Amino acid sequence: MRVPLSWLREYVDLPATETGRDVQAKLVSAGLEVETVEQLGAGLKGPLVVGKVLTIEELTEFKKPIRFCTVDVGMANGTGEPQEIVCGARNFAVGDKVVVVLPGAVLPGDFAIAARQTYGKTSHGMICSGDELGMGDDGTNGIIVLPPEYEVGTDAIELLELVDEVLDIAVTPDRGYCLSMRGVAREVATAYGLPLRDPALLDVPAPNSYGYLVKVADPQGCDRFTARTVVGLEPEARSPIWLRRRLQKAGMRPISLAVDVTNYVMLELGQPLHAYDRSRIDGPIGVRRAEPGEKFTTLDGTKRVLDAEDLVITDNRGPIGLAGVMGGANTEIADSTTDAETGQVHGTTEVVIEAAHFDALSIARTARRHKLSSEASKRFERGTDPQTTSAAAQRTVDLLVLLAGGTAEAGVTEVIAPSAPRTISMPANHPDRVAGVDYGRETVVRRLQEVGCDAYGQDELVVTVPSWRPDLAFPNDLAEEVIRLEGYENLPSTLPTPPSGRGLTDRQRLHRRIGRALAGAGYVEALNYPFIGEAVLDQLGLAADDDRRRTVKLVNPLSDEEPALRTTLLPGLLGALRRNDGRGSHDLALFEAGLVFRPTGEEHKAARLPVDRRPTDEEIAGLNATLPRQPRRAAVVLAGAREQAGWWGKGRPGNWADAVEAARTLAREAGVELIVRADQHAPWHPGRCAALYVTVNGEETLVGHAGELHPRVIKALHLPERTCAMEVETDVLEQAGTGPLKAPRISAFPVATQDVALVVDEGVPSVDVEAALREGAGELLEALRLFDVFTGEQLGEGKKSLAYALRFRAADRTLTVEEATAARDAAVALAGERTGAVLRGA
């Protein structure tokens, strides 16, 4: 919500010295998020005046049409002589009033104006467009043409209200009333302790039986509908400058007088309105649910197929509006046109004004269903004030009568579904207990009254909630209002004292160690949204029966393209890698640790837990039973160089082995031994994919996969060539752990090193050979490392040589050569027995 400070001052008598920054600080303290304060007209300096076009000479000898104009600017140029100006715009004529900037002036963007030679003429200034003055889009895309009543030489800076401050407020869903000047003014008045001039306090005529006929068939979807009629509108009437400028400052484009007035009242009071051309309505106005498959064309020209849940405004022909979202093209206010022969202006002369209150949930679902978010739907889905419909309609009528020369018909239609004011019972000391501050009953009642509530009672307050605050439903909501108005910054900061023995869980400790270890290995953490869509699962090449395709669907997803919770971390990480690679960072190593969501098929609807006490263990268990399985996983992706080249030597690209090593890093943090086997598993390359296992309760358990991604996946996701990835389930790593990690004992005795080269069949995994060597060598083996793999004719077809370095050391003595050799021979013997390995050269 963009709030011009000059407009705000109409409702609150702010001190003249208060700036937008001062108001921002007050509103932020009251709990509103003011993102920016825009300084309109910053650096603008005159002379900037109203001028009258006297002559226009067309310069035709150039590639584009150029006009040499003389403009009367009065005495603004110091001589009273016509000002000669070169201009390329075509939307003005002789006799028009325009905005002229003279030499010596400075426009926004530090654009200094001076006399200059151009197109063979000397241009003494410039005829201005709205964009050049920082006014925004006025719909003309050309020169500003002013109404003829403004005097030549009038200061255009003041006339066009070019200097102002605009507060840009990010309105949260629970504060829909702040999507209006009225709502923001109420917050400002409360923050400064000043009275509010409520623009909704108008004299409104009582409803009667001779207003425009309205039939509401769904009172739950529309509990209030006000209709007013204005006739005799002048089609040639245009929105005055002050109205157009306020709309522009608020971020809206002026369109026509009738539309501008409804938009203005919406911004002022927060009540969306719609104006129908009465001559284009057939019969009474109705409100009902749409028929399944019913078709309707909205104002944006889109033909829409309606859903049975959509609420529509109708006449005898069918839908004329998508309630609370957008009107229909068949009753649109007609643009004014001039008859070329008679000069008569034709256009809409009679309008029916709609001011209604619709069900917030229904409007939100309709807007999302049709992917049609409008200024009206944004307000309705956050909750508008049902008591404001008649005042908003009256304000619209008054402005149309004043600005368009119309006449308000005496008929007033109001269709109202009976409803009672909402009340909340709350202990008077409830805000005290929530905040840990002794406010006292008087402060609580005073703050609630400032919000607009009526509060009665002593120890137990009965609070009547104002109609414009649908978000106030529970005692905690009222407590929040008291606390925020008293100032969050005034809450004492008290650290709770945790009971002994309640530190981090083993799972939390492992999660932190994993993050530190991967960061230490050169990976950068990337936090991604936990949402995916079917398209990315197809791009990953997952089979139709892959468990990762069984997803938890969201009822209200942020994006229809990603309506499900993730079952793997890879889509988010690969998306982050692709974005960074596209922006010039080609050497990438990213990681993420977080939850994935795997449905079990046994989930059911959750029961609502109480908030006035701690839930029981049984209630918490029941709540957990409604959730999908949420294992914690860790994943890495890498592309480009793993080691950079430089004066120290050549670099090297990342490959599948780095992905496997990242998994080993995680396994070491969990204190478990990782078993690596060749595998084929999407989305990895079938020949460069490793299945990762750990031993849990004596059995090998799959923990994840690592390797190079399949070329088809890389192409589908637009990733760098040879991109690699790893993903493991850290919960399984934790289960495989044997408790707290123990620091290794460092022996003071020397090490004995023995190398062996074993010849095995090419199909024998090196991990099996390594496992046999470890077991055969016994306790004296300190470390084992594969340092060479060799194939060649010397070994024979289908054979390979694996060379290992074995380090032996005893904790209590220096090993003899005989002891080290015996341990080596035992290791070789067991490897030969299990894998068929023989010593090379034997």
Side-chain angles (χ1 to χ4, degrees), residues 352-505:
V352 177
I353 299 160
E354 166 207 304
H357 182 261
F358 300 112
D359 176 64
L361 185 59
S362 175
I363 301 305
R365 288 177 174 172
T366 296
R368 178 157 302 196
R369 189 180 299 118
H370 293 281
K371 299 181 176 64
L372 186 60
S373 178
S374 64
E375 292 293 331
S377 68
K378 282 196 302 186
R379 286 163 173 80
F380 278 124
E381 65 190 29
R382 286 166 170 80
T384 59
D385 182 0
Q387 303 292 335
T388 310
T389 58
S390 56
Q394 182 63 44
R395 178 70 164 141
T396 306
V397 168
D398 292 343
L399 287 173
L400 288 176
V401 170
L402 175 66
L403 303 176
T407 302
E409 288 195 346
V412 177
T413 301
E414 281 200 13
V415 180
I416 302 174
S419 63
R422 292 178 297 117
T423 60
I424 303 172
S425 295
M426 179 188 73
N429 65 344
H430 182 66
D432 300 11
R433 292 190 291 115
V434 171
V437 177
D438 186 13
Y439 292 126
R441 179 188 175 281
E442 289 74 16
T443 299
V444 171
V445 171
R446 176 172 56 83
R447 288 303 190 184
L448 292 177
Q449 288 174 341
E450 290 174 348
V451 170
C453 299
D454 289 329
Y456 303 96
Q458 292 300 316
D459 295 338
E460 187 75 15
L461 297 178
V462 178
V463 181
T464 302
V465 177
S467 57
W468 60 83
R469 293 299 302 271
D471 59 300
L472 302 181
F474 302 102
N476 281 343
D477 298 328
L478 301 177
E480 179 186 358
E481 293 301 300
V482 174
I483 295 168
R484 76 175 182 88
L485 293 180
E486 284 293 305
Y488 290 124
E489 68 276 10
N490 296 324
L491 292 176
S493 177
T494 305
L495 290 176
T497 303
S500 59
R502 296 283 185 88
L504 297 177
T505 64

Side-chain angles (χ1 to χ4, degrees), residues 214-266:
V214 175
K215 299 178 180 179
V216 177
D218 188 343
Q220 288 188 332
C222 176
D223 58 7
R224 187 178 290 258
F225 195 109
T226 301
R228 299 289 300 276
T229 305
V230 181
V231 298
L233 300 179
E234 299 170 0
E236 67 275 14
R238 297 290 182 267
S239 301
I241 289 177
W242 64 266
L243 177 57
R244 298 166 65 89
R245 288 297 293 135
R246 286 190 173 180
L247 290 177
Q248 288 176 322
K249 291 177 187 179
M252 302 189 76
R253 181 172 63 88
I255 298 173
S256 65
L257 178 56
V259 176
D260 291 349
V261 165
T262 58
N263 285 337
Y264 178 83
V265 176
M266 178 185 68

